Amino acid sequence: MPFDPTVCGEVPSSHNTFLTALLCVGTFLSYLPQHLKILNRRSSDGISPYFILLGTIGAGSNITNIVLLQFIALQCCTVQVT
């Protein structure tokens, strides 16, 4: 299916798509060390469970927001193979 500007608006920018992917990966990686430390110690002593819960919910919401904002652009990137 060719690009239809009436449905998709402007042509999706590869820069925006790259930035979206970078933000998703960066958000995930920013919380990874803390979770690995808890798993390696097998204890979360000294860390509030609410802090972990809210941080994880915040990161998940951040990634969900980024993906939803780019969903229309991803739909416009489909290619019909004939």
Side-chain angles (χ1 to χ4, degrees), residues 34-35 38 43-56:
Q34 182 179 20
H35 288 282
I38 292 169
S43 172
S44 62
D45 286 340
I47 300 175
S48 168
Y50 293 116
F51 179 76
I52 295 170
L53 176 67
L54 292 175
T56 303

Side-chain angles (χ1 to χ4, degrees), residues 1-2 5 10 16 22 24 31 46 48 56 63 67 70 72 79:
M1 171 168 60
E10 62 184 43
N16 287 345
L22 186 66
C24 285
Y31 287 94
S48 168
T56 303
I63 291 174
V67 170
Q70 290 295 318
I72 294 171
V79 177

Side-chain angles (χ1 to χ4, degrees), residues 23-44:
L23 285 171
C24 285
V25 171
T27 300
F28 175 75
L29 290 178
S30 70
Y31 287 94
L32 190 61
Q34 182 179 20
H35 288 282
L36 290 176
K37 185 176 182 181
I38 292 169
L39 291 174
N40 286 338
R41 288 184 175 181
R42 299 185 191 274
S43 172
S44 62

